[in-house]
Amino acid sequence: MNAAADSPPLRPRLTARRGIGRPSVGKLAIFVIFAALAASCIYPLLFVASTALRTNADYRASPGGLPSSFTSENFERAFSQLHIGRLALNSLMVVVPAVILIAILACCAAYALVHLEIRLSRLLLAAVICMMALPPTVLLIPIFKLVLDVGLLNNRLGLILVYTALNLPFSIYLLTAFMRSVPVELLRAAGIDGAGPVRTLWSVVLPLIRPGLMTLVTLNFLFLWNELIFSLVILQQGMGRTIMVGIAQFQAQPEKNYGVVAAGLLLSMIPPLLIFVFFQRDLARGLTAGATK
Amino acid sequence: MAAIEIDGVQKVFDGMERAAVAEVSLTVADGECLVLVGPSGCGKSTLLRMIAGIERVSGGQIRIDGADVTDREARDRDIAMVFQNYALYPHMTVEENLHFGLKIRKMPKAERNKRVEAVAQMLRLDELVRRKPGQLSGGQRQRVAMGRAMVREPKALLMDEPLSNLDAKLRVLMRAELARLHGRVGTTTIYVTHDQTEAMTLGDRVAVISDGVLQQVAPPDELYSSPANLFVASFIGSPSINVAEGVVRDGRLVFAGVELPIPPVDLGGRTRVLVGVRPADLNPFDKSGAGAVPLRATVEVAEHLGAEMHVLFPVVGPASHAGTEVSGDQGHEREGVLLADDGSSLFTAVLPAVGSVGPGDRLDLGIDPELLMFFDPETGGSLQRVSSTAGASSR
Amino acid sequence: MTASSGAGSVGPRTGRRHGARHSGRGLTRWLFLLPALVLLAVLIVYPIGDAIRLAFTSWDGFSAPHSIGLSNFEDLLKDKRFKESLLHNLAIVVAIPIWIAVPYAVACGIHTKVAGWRFFRLVFFLPVVLSPVVLGAYYGIVLAESGPLNGALRSVGLGGLAHEWLNDPALTLPVVIGIIIWATFGVGVLIFLAGLANLDEEIVEAAQVDGASRWQIQRHVVFWQLLPVIEFWTVIIVIASFTAFFPLIYTLTKGGPGTATFTVDFDLYSEAFTSGRLGYASAIGVVMMFIILVTCGGLVALLRWRRS
């Protein structure tokens, strides 16, 4: 609140005309609302962290308050009962290959669509955009049947391929925007220098769209790490489950231990939070792509 | 190094009725520098890009060093190209830019270094090799682009308006530099420009193109003195040639308000022709040759350029728009025919700067009938002199 | 001067037929596209067709599906839970104006550079990166009957406001919708901020010089310029309204209390993987696809029409 009072009025001209007071009251109101909203966004982290660090008895004494003593017991039990380590590893073994596969396929496809003068490129791009608008739930059952029929149910490869396909349309669309920013003349120059399409992609195009690729990888990692429904349906077996399935099923038990759930949640949040801290700008760029054009 | 033969090459873009390049045939000799010149949109860049292999031909054949390369990719033609905006790889240093083409062709490192060093030295890039293109000035980038093309020692060097992104002063400097480099390296070069001065100064021969059609290929001096048609006559030379209608009457030619004896030109029975005279061929009467006919000029505009001055004055007789009719190209950037207030044509004379001349002053100029050019009013084609057949070039 | 290697070795080709030229290159080009296209064809295009085919079958997931004609759709018409789910999705659609207004207002607030706006912009994005599973579990604990929220309300003497947030049929659906709006508004803020950054400031300044009030500027200048962005966000949330709820409902309410928070996507999952009626669930999917197609198409058409 102090900060609001201290901040200089943005447009002195207007302030003077409207009389003093009013704009700063408005700003104060905005600030208060924003502060409350911000608290609701930060509180989950604080709550989960504090609940994970205290005993169950302590939690029951004052659920929303601060812990009176700390314990690492919840974390130990998150590993022994929830098998959080195993779940995280499962997730990584699906998500990392899928993210890499998406990046490779999307790069090649976007490159071909934008720069290799393919006859049907406009039509194909339109089809890709239509696929983006398709809600994945609609595909849940036929994809389940397909995976079942080819014997990839409860197989990581099945989920990797499904994840790759589901995220490809968006990824191709995102990358075409970056591909277009590479001047055509550079590609021509590379061709004259003797580079074939593969070499041109590798030595000229990729270095130039690295920021776009970064955005794509972080965004896809986030999406897939957090994904639930396809993972739930395709990797049903106990020991292969991904982290979100494991947590969702664990916390659904009637006599769950809040501390252990919180410890699991906290650990599962680490990758998204790291991405949030280090790649916030990439995420923002990816999520707003296409909004203003 | 190699000769380049272009044989009936044609380009029709999808959905377009008219050909962007219409059956052009040309031969560039080994080591020659040929300049393709013409107004923007005339198809000269398209032709160059077809030679480079980045645009497909719709018909015809391109041979480099005797081998048919029509169906080959750009990378298999062993040519190098300098682009209008240089197209340097922004993520590579100058050095890496120079190395790239050689590395792809799997040249051993030692030889690569030798070549890059030599080229960097020749283009005075030694100091800049560790920089990236973003840290270079326009002229420096231009030199790197040249270097990248030269280091490969290609069979041919293609340049697409390489100087057009430089400011006027630098452009003149780089023009001289290019002439010097071509003199030293002697690679077969095809150079595209819309600037006729560049064309005249750089080309061993100049090919004038308009509307996708090759108008004339000739050495610069010949292009200037014996243009094949009105388009070439008005495109080449600055200021542009003066053109007005001439009428043949009683064995004499009436043109620009004066009566002249008819020079030995095959008029083919025409009584009306278009007559052109270069601004530099209009001299003060007392300094004109023996056969000169006086022309009294009332100055409308005088442009003093220091060593010389350009004098614009109206002449009697209908204005001729034939120059633009021949080109048929509305988008082309040269101004049309200058008109005086009353609609008669304005002539330009380039005179030595003597004293102060201003609007309303009267000047006595001389027209030498021997220096006049004659064109068919319908086709714009040049009418040949009867006596001297040597200079005339065929279309 | 020596010719570089490579080029010279290729012999001159004869017989130029222009139609067939560059065919080798064409193949390479398609090779770049092929892996992605094959994957999309197999795992997206084919399943769309298969979804429609399965909608006319009865399938338990073990034996082979057998065709039963239109009877799935006939059953859907009589299915109380499905109709209720549709109704809940309709409630979500009704909430869409809030879903647009909240991020819009917040973005405008940040755009005025309110004190600490950088911090707010960062923090508002935080829920976006968290999995709906995490949010579901978190709110499951916080909103529990004896959870921290009710505890806090009681401790400050507002015990009257304490509710069974997740167990009151009238309250739970609004709570779930509220959570989804809260969890996604960060994306909306970013999108609207991107739109505001592209705003033509000169028009705003011209309006100021003309003496327009802040509200008038907002209404007549900013809003109209942001309309395409609003349209973009609307299409996104319409699609999200049919698909974003599953993980939250799965972890938070399991559709309860009773069927109070069943949505179409949750119903689809339950029919398929709880009741084992995968053919029937496919029919739900087809209806859902149809609704989204019509809604989005109609929406885009409406917005286009209003703008022109």
Side-chain angles (χ1 to χ4, degrees):
Chain A
M1 314 240 186
N2 270 339
D6 290 345
S7 80
L10 208 69
R11 293 182 188 277
R13 198 157 41 92
L14 288 180
T15 315
R17 206 179 52 186
R18 296 261 155 76
I20 309 166
R22 233 189 100 208
S24 58
V25 168
K27 287 228 156 168
L28 193 70
I30 293 176
F31 184 82
V32 170
I33 294 168
F34 276 22
L37 249 182
S40 80
C41 295
I42 298 175
Y43 186 66
L45 290 188
L46 299 178
F47 176 78
V48 168
S50 92
T51 308
L53 285 165
R54 61 208 285 210
T55 60
N56 247 16
D58 191 24
Y59 171 79
R60 273 183 223 293
S62 99
L66 291 169
S68 57
S69 65
F70 293 100
T71 173
S72 62
E73 188 198 352
N74 291 325
F75 288 98
E76 284 155 22
R77 283 167 68 183
F79 279 96
S80 62
Q81 293 177 357
L82 178 57
H83 307 292
I84 191 81
R86 178 73 218 222
L87 293 173
L89 197 67
N90 287 342
S91 268
L92 284 177
M93 281 196 289
V94 172
V95 173
V96 171
V99 166
I100 294 171
L101 198 57
I102 294 169
I104 294 171
L105 295 186
C107 263
C108 291
Y111 173 60
L113 285 177
V114 174
H115 285 306
L116 293 187
E117 292 165 26
I118 287 192
R119 235 165 243 279
L120 297 169
S121 61
R122 296 188 72 161
L123 189 76
L124 287 172
L125 206 58
V128 163
I129 290 171
C130 286
M131 289 183 205
M132 268 168 70
L134 191 76
T137 325
V138 170
L139 299 177
L140 185 64
I141 290 163
I143 284 182
F144 169 74
K145 179 166 188 300
L146 187 65
V147 171
L148 181 73
D149 288 349
V150 298
L152 285 177
L153 200 65
N154 290 319
N155 184 328
R156 285 197 187 93
L157 182 62
L159 190 56
I160 290 170
L161 291 176
V162 169
Y163 274 174
T164 307
L166 288 177
N167 281 272
L168 255 184
F170 166 75
S171 304
I172 291 174
Y173 173 74
L174 186 68
L175 272 189
T176 53
F178 286 98
M179 285 282 175
R180 281 203 190 90
S181 68
V182 178
V184 181
E185 294 219 321
L186 275 186
L187 305 184
R188 303 264 184 265
I192 285 170
D193 267 346
V198 180
R199 183 68 190 241
T200 306
L201 175 62
W202 183 253
S203 300
V204 178
V205 177
L206 283 188
L208 291 176
I209 61 159
R210 212 159 54 189
L213 215 54
M214 215 51 226
T215 297
L216 187 76
V217 166
T218 50
L219 214 54
N220 277 327
F221 184 89
L222 196 68
F223 287 161
L224 296 184
W225 179 267
N226 289 341
E227 206 279 335
L228 178 68
I229 190 164
F230 280 90
S231 170
L232 195 60
V233 166
I234 291 172
L235 287 185
Q236 300 169 327
Q237 251 163 27
M239 276 292 101
R241 292 173 307 164
T242 59
I243 191 161
M244 288 309 155
V245 175
I247 288 177
Q249 292 178 344
F250 184 83
Q251 64 91 43
Q253 294 167 358
E255 52 291 318
K256 59 194 157 195
N257 180 323
Y258 285 136
V260 179
V261 172
L265 291 178
L266 193 64
L267 292 171
S268 84
M269 280 189 228
I270 292 172
L273 287 180
L274 286 179
I275 286 178
F276 175 73
V277 172
F278 292 108
F279 300 104
Q280 209 227 353
R281 191 163 291 183
D282 290 308
L283 291 183
R285 186 168 37 203
L287 290 172
T288 55
T292 54
K293 62 157 195 183
Chain B
M1 267 162 56
I4 300 172
E5 294 153 272
I6 298 158
D7 190 357
V9 163
Q10 196 177 358
K11 177 76 192 182
V12 185
F13 284 107
D14 288 344
M16 304 285 274
E17 262 178 40
R18 259 220 329 246
V21 174
E23 303 214 8
V24 169
S25 294
L26 265 175
T27 302
V28 190
D30 190 3
E32 186 185 22
C33 177
L34 179 89
V35 178
L36 302 178
V37 71
S40 50
C42 72
K44 56 191 189 304
S45 279
T46 308
L47 180 58
L48 189 79
R49 291 157 66 84
M50 287 192 287
I51 299 167
I54 54 189
E55 195 85 69
R56 291 174 215 178
V57 305
S58 312
Q61 196 181 42
I62 296 167
R63 288 184 296 275
I64 298 177
D65 207 7
D68 177 7
V69 299
T70 320
D71 288 320
R72 277 194 211 165
E73 302 265 353
R75 62 181 156 136
D76 298 327
R77 295 191 182 194
D78 197 20
I79 41 93
M81 185 155 169
V82 178
F83 290 86
Q84 186 168 7
N85 45 21
Y86 320 134
L88 299 173
Y89 309 119
H91 57 294
M92 300 183 192
T93 62
V94 168
E95 203 170 25
E96 287 163 344
N97 264 285
L98 296 179
H99 271 282
F100 186 68
L102 302 176
K103 214 155 101 186
I104 284 176
R105 279 153 214 272
K106 303 203 167 57
M107 182 181 282
K109 190 152 195 228
E111 190 176 352
R112 253 163 42 201
N113 287 336
K114 222 169 68 195
R115 277 215 205 167
V116 169
E117 218 168 283
V119 164
Q121 205 170 16
M122 182 157 43
L123 289 165
R124 296 187 299 277
L125 293 168
D126 331 39
E127 308 276 301
L128 309 172
V129 288
R130 304 242 174 273
R131 297 218 199 145
K132 292 201 171 165
Q135 302 162 300
L136 301 178
S137 70
Q140 289 168 336
R141 278 183 221 180
Q142 217 285 325
R143 295 213 303 272
V144 177
M146 279 297 302
R148 181 176 65 180
M150 284 165 53
V151 78
R152 290 235 328 269
E153 298 180 4
K155 285 189 181 144
L157 199 54
L158 310 179
M159 303 199 214
D160 189 2
E161 308 241 7
L163 303 183
S164 62
N165 276 353
L166 302 176
D167 63 60
K169 270 216 168 110
L170 202 53
R171 188 153 47 209
V172 174
L173 245 125
M174 281 308 296
R175 200 166 72 197
E177 175 92 8
L178 288 181
R180 176 183 76 95
L181 287 172
H182 182 70
R184 266 185 70 179
V185 182
T187 312
T188 310
T189 302
I190 302 183
Y191 186 106
V192 162
T193 180
H194 65 270
D195 178 352
Q196 58 98 17
T197 321
E198 244 169 60
M200 299 294 272
T201 49
L202 284 172
D204 294 324
R205 281 188 308 150
V206 176
V208 182
I209 299 177
S210 169
D211 265 351
V213 177
L214 185 60
Q215 306 289 327
Q216 187 176 10
V217 193
D221 52 338
E222 191 184 316
L223 218 52
Y224 183 80
S225 58
S226 329
N229 56 39
L230 191 53
F231 176 81
V232 175
S234 44
F235 192 79
I236 300 294
S238 171
S240 194
I241 192 168
N242 302 306
V243 182
E245 200 178 57
V247 179
V248 181
R249 195 184 296 150
D250 306 331
R252 305 273 287 175
L253 174 72
V254 181
F255 158 68
V258 291
E259 247 188 58
L260 304 141
I262 296 179
V265 169
D266 177 15
L267 293 180
R270 293 176 185 82
T271 54
R272 285 167 181 278
V273 285
L274 290 174
V275 183
V277 59
R278 295 264 177 216
D281 291 340
L282 291 171
N283 294 313
F285 184 64
D286 47 7
K287 290 192 182 107
S288 298
V293 178
L295 167 68
R296 171 143 287 205
T298 308
V299 176
E300 184 142 322
V301 179
E303 300 169 338
H304 297 271
L305 302 173
E308 56 178 36
M309 62 182 181
H310 296 173
V311 172
L312 276 64
F313 58 94
V315 295
V316 187
S320 156
H321 296 277
T324 44
E325 270 165 28
V326 169
S327 87
D329 178 2
Q330 301 312 314
H332 101 52
E333 58 219 31
R334 295 161 51 81
E335 304 85 89
V337 179
L338 279 171
L339 294 179
D341 291 341
D342 58 1
S344 59
S345 29
L346 271 184
F347 269 28
T348 309
V350 176
L351 304 175
V354 278
S356 64
V357 176
D361 290 354
R362 284 167 184 261
L363 292 173
D364 283 317
L365 303 175
I367 295 184
D368 186 346
E370 287 304 313
L371 297 173
L372 295 181
M373 298 175 192
F374 295 86
F375 304 95
D376 183 300
E378 261 79 57
T379 64
S382 186
L383 301 178
Q384 309 297 319
R385 298 208 164 231
V386 178
S387 60
S388 61
T389 49
S393 56
S394 55
R395 278 183 62 182
Chain C
M1 229 155 276
T2 47
S4 303
S5 60
S9 59
V10 181
R13 258 192 264 166
T14 48
R16 315 171 267 116
R17 288 277 66 88
H18 299 307
R21 73 173 25 149
H22 291 281
S23 59
R25 187 172 158 206
L27 211 80
T28 334
R29 284 182 289 175
W30 283 96
L31 280 180
F32 277 96
L33 210 47
L34 210 62
L37 285 187
V38 167
L39 208 62
L40 290 178
V42 172
L43 279 163
I44 293 194
V45 178
Y46 166 74
I48 292 175
D50 211 30
I52 296 168
R53 182 181 73 86
L54 287 171
F56 297 97
T57 65
S58 165
W59 183 42
D60 58 7
F62 299 103
S63 52
H66 62 271
S67 179
I68 51 167
L70 281 170
S71 80
N72 279 336
F73 293 96
E74 283 160 11
D75 289 351
L76 270 182
L77 288 176
K78 290 175 265 171
D79 184 339
K80 244 186 89 189
R81 193 172 77 183
F82 174 69
K83 280 191 268 187
E84 212 178 328
S85 302
L86 266 181
L87 216 61
H88 295 152
N89 273 91
L90 193 69
I92 294 168
V93 169
V94 169
I96 279 179
I98 305 173
W99 209 342
I100 298 168
V102 169
Y104 183 89
V106 170
C108 288
I110 290 178
H111 195 65
T112 63
K113 309 258 152 82
V114 69
W117 63 275
R118 281 174 209 279
F119 170 77
F120 288 130
R121 192 181 56 181
L122 184 80
V123 166
F124 291 163
F125 192 60
L126 197 53
V128 175
V129 302
L130 299 180
S131 169
V133 172
V134 171
L135 297 177
Y138 161 75
Y139 278 106
I141 300 171
V142 169
L143 299 179
E145 213 288 308
S146 56
L149 180 64
N150 284 344
L153 286 172
R154 286 183 190 118
S155 69
V156 295
L158 291 169
L161 285 178
H163 287 93
E164 289 200 60
W165 303 104
L166 301 175
N167 222 353
D168 181 340
L171 206 56
T172 311
L173 186 64
V175 165
V176 167
I177 295 173
I179 291 173
I180 286 283
I181 293 177
W182 169 84
T184 52
F185 88 101
V187 182
V189 168
L190 281 181
I191 286 173
F192 286 125
L193 275 177
L196 283 167
N198 283 7
L199 207 66
D200 190 346
E201 286 291 338
E202 275 194 5
I203 299 184
V204 175
E205 277 159 19
Q208 279 173 355
V209 172
D210 285 345
S213 72
R214 257 179 213 222
W215 172 246
Q216 285 170 322
I217 291 174
Q218 186 56 244
R219 223 194 114 200
H220 296 293
V221 180
V222 176
F223 179 78
W224 283 103
Q225 284 198 57
L226 280 185
L227 216 52
V229 184
I230 296 172
E231 181 184 327
F232 179 79
W233 174 239
T234 308
V235 171
I236 288 182
I237 56 178
V238 165
I239 296 169
S241 73
F242 282 94
T243 55
F245 283 79
F246 173 80
L248 188 72
I249 290 169
Y250 182 83
T251 41
L252 189 60
T253 66
K254 290 275 182 190
T259 54
T261 53
F262 259 76
T263 55
V264 176
D265 55 345
F266 191 76
D267 192 36
L268 185 152
Y269 175 84
S270 306
E271 289 291 355
F273 297 101
T274 313
S275 316
R277 302 164 65 191
L278 284 92
Y280 188 63
S282 277
I284 296 177
V286 168
V287 171
M288 185 166 148
M289 190 152 57
F290 180 74
I291 293 174
I292 291 175
L293 213 71
V294 170
T295 319
C296 278
L299 195 73
V300 170
L302 183 78
L303 290 164
R304 290 269 150 83
W305 174 74
R306 279 210 57 181
R307 251 192 305 173
S308 65

